[in-house]
Amino acid sequence: LEALAYQVRHSGTDKKWEELSSLLQNQGEMFDAHGHRRKLVIFTEHRDTLRYLEDRVRSLLGKPEAVVTIQGSMGRDDRRKAQELFTQNKEVEILIATDAAGEGINLQRAHLMVNYDLPWNPNRIEQRFGRIHRIGQTEVCHLWNLVAEETREGEVFKRLFEKIEEERRALGNGVFDILGKLFRDRPLRELLIEAIRYGDRPDVKARLVQAVDNLADRKRCGDLLEERALARDTMDATRVQKVREEMERAAARRLQPHFIAAFFLEALHRLGGAVREREAKRFEVTHVPLVIRSRDRVIGHGNPVLDRYERITFEKDLISVLGQPLAAFVCPGHPLLDSTIDLVLERYRDLFKRGAILINPSDPSDDVRVLFYLEHSIVDARSDVSGDRRVVSRQIHFVEINREGFSHVAGFAPYLDYRPLEEEERPLIARVLEDQWLREDLESRVNDHAVAHLVPRHLSEVRARREEIVDKTIQAVKDRLGKEINYWDHRAEDLRAQEQAGRTPRLNSAKARQRADELAARLQKRIADLEQERHLSALPPVVVGGALIVPMGLLKHLSGTTDQDERALETARIEQLAMDAVMDMERQLGFEPHDVSAERCGYDIESRILGTGRLRFIEVKGRHSEGRTITVTKNEIVTALNRPDDFILAIVQVDGDRAEPPRYVQRPFTKEPDFGVTSVNYDISELLARSEPPQ
């Protein structure tokens, strides 16, 4: 055998490589419509084979930089870097990997895969294909298995893949996800060994074919697909509606993607980066400055920050676009965004403590307030590498306090409706800044309010959610590791019996027993770690920054506008008439409206569509019949863009004490304002031309 192997090695002829080379050069799926090579993943069993293929593929392509590898001896950071290069660097075309990339790594940027070697464990075949064939993949996935057909091993694999293909056509692509479970009762390895030992005998060959057919028949595949389906927990209709309403509120109020996109693009530019829009809301980052990459090496713990990104996006729906490169989803948690935020905070954190003066243009009163920005964290009993308790939940809160000492929660992002103080307005409020109450210990009062109201609510929310997750995880861990422990216990006893009978199995019983003991210790440690996750405690709230909020009513009063009070009263009267008109209209239409204007959430009325769990978000604009413009805040515009199908701009014209019937404008806005814009004026006649009667 050694002589034959040596002869084959030095013959210069490698049939398997020739087949792969032909695939790479001649297979149509390997190239897009413009002739550019598509991304491809090649899996192999052994590190030596990987190195062999790495040399040959690089020589074939003539571009050493076009190939990256992942194999078991690489550290976790190197593996993540190879994954990111393959995903985001358009110069990298082929990833060659052992099964070190078969689990836990997302290679969805590719939809082509070659199994150069096939493992004898079907779970590993399933895991390999799962790297590209996963939720969110927009392209049709293609998999080539290189099998030596005229071998006993090849005959079994060939029959297996033929049978799987038959069931795929009948049951769908999900059969690839249950490949490992097909061999739960009869291991594939046993079939292959039997084929190698006795495959020349016609009766054995027929029995093996029948065994494969039985294992992969349609009923069995269908049963396994049903078993794999998610657990069917039941909820009554009322609970379903409440959950849906909460999801719709969260979607309407989200800061992602609009504000994060505006922040990141501006911050990257100021830090020396270069980015340009390639497709609608999809960007190419042509240069990530060294200062951001260096910061990631200090604070990062996941994928590395690359020096360039072929595509990024801030909207989840635009990650995968047919015919375009897969985009990196830049959101909280992505190292590129986290490093940028950390740098900006380091450079400008002192501004939070110094505070700011903001104007509330929609407040006609003279009630000056101080807005505080607090962070609050919940930790469990685990410790991180530095010995600190692990943070499992962090929330941001905004609390306002006025002259009388009354404090209240100010909403989820109240600052979005405020604008900066202009220089010519600063002298007007000089006396306001000298008020004695602003020199008192307001921070302590706000902390007391947070401890009494915000912290208990945050802790109870996290505790309820954490208990459920820990219980389910413990059950899953016991089930998975328990099966492995039982297997190795049984294997150790079986091997010991063989040893006592005078045989010498390839694996000795001591090794099998050691494996069982290691798994048992691992199970105990994992359960102990999970139990630590139950022990939650709340850290003290931390005041990060603050701002003085000056209402527009006070500013106009200080500027000497004599008719300010009358105008404020008139504005409030018109707005109330408009609100009443829209609320009445919603009830007539069969909906259940609620006034949420005090919460400053980007709309004035939340109208429930009874029996569905769906909501209508209505922003009400009341104007005198002679009015020409409508002012809309950035917060209101972004909320409309977040929920374009559910947001309504209601316009009510008021003449004296009579409000005209409301007019509804669907999809009133097409794009968010620029970075520094806080509000936009719209022509009322143009909006009315696009309006419709309420429905």
Side-chain angles (χ1 to χ4, degrees):
L1 286 174
E2 287 181 355
L4 283 172
Y6 183 85
Q7 183 181 345
V8 170
R9 181 74 179 267
H10 291 84
S11 67
T13 301
D14 181 350
K15 179 63 175 174
K16 206 172 193 180
W17 162 250
E18 290 174 1
E19 290 295 329
L20 177 60
S21 176
S22 177
L23 275 175
L24 293 175
Q25 297 179 83
N26 304 320
Q27 191 72 30
E29 288 86 356
M30 295 289 173
F31 303 92
D32 62 19
H34 305 289
H36 301 141
R37 186 174 293 279
R38 289 190 170 115
K39 301 266 186 179
L40 169 70
V41 182
I42 301 174
F43 270 107
T44 183
E45 280 283 273
H46 308 288
R47 197 181 308 166
D48 287 343
T49 312
L50 179 145
R51 290 169 179 156
Y52 168 73
L53 290 176
E54 182 182 5
D55 291 339
R56 301 212 68 163
V57 172
R58 282 177 170 166
S59 297
L60 177 69
L61 300 182
K63 298 187 295 182
E65 70 280 2
V67 180
V68 294
T69 63
I70 295 178
Q71 42 90 6
S73 66
M74 296 170 63
R76 181 175 297 179
D77 290 343
D78 290 335
R79 295 186 200 185
R80 285 175 172 159
K81 184 175 182 181
Q83 175 191 340
E84 285 293 289
L85 285 171
F86 179 69
T87 303
Q88 292 297 333
N89 192 329
K90 59 185 177 183
E91 302 299 326
V92 178
E93 299 170 349
I94 295 178
L95 168 67
I96 306 174
T98 63
D99 281 315
E103 188 172 355
I105 293 181
N106 183 357
L107 303 175
Q108 195 182 54
R109 171 64 195 277
H111 63 278
L112 309 177
M113 179 180 290
V114 172
N115 275 324
Y116 191 80
D117 300 313
L118 278 167
W120 284 14
N121 183 341
N123 285 309
R124 286 166 55 197
I125 301 176
E126 176 186 317
Q127 287 169 357
R128 288 179 179 183
F129 196 43
R131 298 310 96 211
I132 65 169
H133 185 262
R134 56 198 295 144
I135 293 172
Q137 176 63 266
T138 60
E139 305 285 347
V140 177
C141 293
H142 296 270
L143 170 64
W144 291 268
N145 295 302
L146 299 186
V147 179
E149 188 173 355
E150 296 177 2
T151 64
R152 296 169 185 175
E153 175 198 30
E155 288 177 354
V156 174
F157 272 121
K158 183 171 182 291
R159 181 58 188 169
L160 171 63
F161 290 130
E162 287 174 350
K163 188 66 179 175
I164 289 294
E165 179 60 20
E166 290 177 16
E167 306 314 328
R168 185 196 68 79
R169 287 194 290 266
L171 300 173
N173 291 332
V175 294
F176 292 112
D177 299 329
I178 57 161
L179 194 54
K181 291 187 176 182
L182 291 175
F183 295 90
R184 190 163 52 190
D185 301 323
R186 181 81 187 278
L188 175 62
R189 184 181 184 85
E190 286 186 10
L191 295 178
L192 291 169
I193 290 176
E194 189 173 355
I196 291 168
R197 287 177 176 168
Y198 313 111
D200 286 338
R201 291 168 44 185
D203 60 321
V204 173
K205 188 177 294 187
R207 189 169 68 246
L208 290 173
V209 170
Q210 187 61 46
V212 171
D213 289 354
N214 290 341
L215 286 168
D217 74 347
R218 188 159 306 165
K219 183 179 185 307
R220 180 174 170 79
C221 289
D223 291 344
L224 288 173
L225 285 169
E226 181 69 19
E227 177 186 313
R228 186 179 180 272
L230 294 175
R232 291 168 176 78
D233 293 334
T234 58
M235 292 189 292
D236 60 51
T238 303
R239 187 179 171 197
V240 170
Q241 290 179 22
K242 288 182 178 179
V243 170
R244 182 166 184 173
E245 287 177 9
E246 287 301 322
M247 292 173 65
E248 295 217 347
R249 288 189 191 99
R253 301 178 184 183
R254 64 194 170 117
L255 298 182
Q256 174 84 359
H258 309 287
F259 291 102
I260 287 179
F263 163 80
F264 175 79
L265 295 174
E266 181 73 16
L268 184 67
H269 173 71
R270 295 194 182 195
L271 291 171
V275 60
R276 50 186 171 179
E277 190 170 11
R278 285 299 194 181
E279 299 91 34
K281 299 182 180 180
R282 285 166 51 93
F283 304 84
E284 179 183 8
V285 181
T286 55
H287 173 61
V288 177
L290 179 61
V291 64
I292 295 179
R293 286 178 277 141
S294 300
R295 179 54 54 97
D296 174 66
R297 288 193 283 270
V298 175
I299 68 168
H301 56 272
N303 293 333
V305 172
L306 306 179
D307 58 358
R308 61 186 301 149
Y309 289 82
E310 186 175 4
R311 289 295 184 278
I312 66 167
T313 186
F314 305 93
E315 302 197 27
K316 192 177 292 186
D317 295 341
L318 298 178
I319 295 173
S320 300
V321 175
L322 192 62
Q324 299 294 340
L326 192 73
F329 182 36
V330 177
C331 62
H334 191 283
L336 180 59
L337 177 63
D338 288 353
S339 299
T340 303
I341 290 174
D342 196 66
L343 278 169
V344 171
L345 285 176
E346 179 185 273
R347 296 185 180 187
Y348 304 108
R349 185 178 293 275
D350 63 307
L351 295 179
F352 277 127
K353 286 296 184 181
R354 285 166 52 189
I357 301 173
L358 302 176
I359 305 299
N360 183 355
S362 62
D363 186 354
S365 74
D366 59 358
D367 185 16
V368 176
R369 306 176 303 280
V370 178
L371 173 70
F372 284 96
Y373 160 31
L374 301 93
E375 284 186 356
H376 180 246
S377 300
I378 304 291
V379 297
D380 62 19
R382 299 173 299 165
S383 298
D384 58 22
V385 292
S386 60
D388 298 324
R389 301 278 293 278
R390 289 202 180 187
V391 176
V392 297
S393 177
R394 179 178 285 119
Q395 287 187 354
I396 294 172
H397 299 283
F398 295 94
V399 178
E400 285 185 347
I401 186 169
N402 63 10
R403 183 190 303 270
E404 287 73 32
F406 175 72
S407 56
H408 68 280
V409 176
F412 81 107
Y415 53 87
L416 297 178
D417 287 333
Y418 304 153
R419 66 168 176 82
L421 179 75
E422 296 176 2
E423 279 303 315
E424 58 268 23
E425 295 169 334
R426 188 172 296 275
L428 298 175
I429 64 166
R431 293 180 120 187
V432 174
L433 297 177
E434 296 175 0
D435 284 352
Q436 181 60 36
W437 74 277
L438 292 176
R439 304 176 187 277
E440 297 173 0
D441 191 3
L442 301 179
E443 188 170 321
S444 295
R445 294 186 192 176
V446 169
N447 262 323
D448 292 342
H449 176 91
V451 169
H453 300 94
L454 302 178
V455 172
R457 185 177 64 196
H458 185 194
L459 183 59
S460 63
E461 289 173 357
V462 175
R463 177 168 284 134
R465 189 168 64 247
R466 179 52 60 101
E467 287 284 346
E468 182 180 3
I469 292 173
V470 169
D471 286 340
K472 289 184 177 181
T473 306
I474 287 177
Q475 184 59 42
V477 168
K478 285 181 176 178
D479 181 59
R480 180 171 59 84
L481 288 179
K483 288 178 181 177
E484 286 196 57
I485 292 169
N486 291 336
Y487 169 80
W488 285 106
D489 277 338
H490 174 73
R491 186 87 172 114
E493 292 299 320
D494 183 49
L495 290 168
R496 190 163 67 87
Q498 293 182 40
E499 291 166 353
Q500 290 174 346
R503 290 191 286 178
T504 308
R506 187 172 62 178
L507 177 68
N508 63 54
S509 59
K511 286 285 187 183
R513 172 58 57 197
Q514 180 184 354
R515 177 62 175 159
D517 292 342
E518 289 173 351
L519 288 169
R522 180 176 162 192
L523 175 60
Q524 290 180 353
K525 184 179 185 304
R526 185 75 179 101
I527 290 177
D529 289 342
L530 287 167
E531 288 296 340
Q532 285 187 315
E533 294 185 25
R534 293 186 193 273
H535 303 299
L536 302 176
S537 56
L539 296 180
V542 177
V543 174
V544 179
L548 181 70
I549 310 302
V550 178
M552 180 58 76
L554 176 62
L555 196 64
K556 289 188 175 181
H557 179 76
L558 293 172
S559 67
T561 306
T562 55
D563 60 348
Q564 170 57 31
D565 292 340
E566 291 78 4
R567 285 190 180 183
L569 290 172
E570 179 65 8
T571 299
R573 185 185 70 83
I574 290 175
E575 289 178 349
Q576 189 57 53
L577 286 171
M579 285 287 292
D580 293 341
V582 175
M583 294 280 282
D584 290 342
M585 179 57 68
E586 286 294 294
R587 294 189 188 99
Q588 292 176 31
L589 294 171
F591 304 124
E592 190 177 283
H594 297 276
D595 183 350
V596 294
S597 56
E599 299 178 22
R600 300 174 188 154
C601 45
Y603 49 90
D604 294 317
I605 295 174
E606 187 178 274
S607 190
R608 182 179 290 117
I609 304 175
L610 298 177
T612 66
R614 293 190 56 196
L615 300 171
R616 291 151 63 96
F617 305 104
I618 305 174
E619 173 60 28
V620 179
K621 295 296 181 184
R623 287 295 178 272
H624 191 276
S625 57
E626 297 180 358
R628 295 290 177 264
T629 61
I630 286 176
T631 301
V632 185
T633 68
K634 185 174 186 176
N635 188 21
E636 293 161 355
I637 294 172
V638 170
T639 303
L641 295 173
N642 280 339
R643 302 296 295 175
D645 295 328
D646 303 313
F647 186 93
I648 297 170
L649 178 65
I651 301 175
V652 180
Q653 292 186 296
V654 177
D655 187 2
D657 293 329
R658 187 176 65 86
E660 299 284 343
R663 300 288 297 181
Y664 283 5
V665 184
Q666 303 278 353
R667 296 177 177 267
F669 318 117
T670 57
K671 65 178 182 178
E672 63 266 28
D674 292 335
F675 181 74
V677 175
T678 57
S679 63
V680 179
N681 289 331
Y682 288 87
D683 185 273
I684 193 171
S685 60
E686 190 275 332
L687 290 172
L688 288 173
R690 294 193 283 125
S691 69
E692 299 175 349
Q695 56 181 356

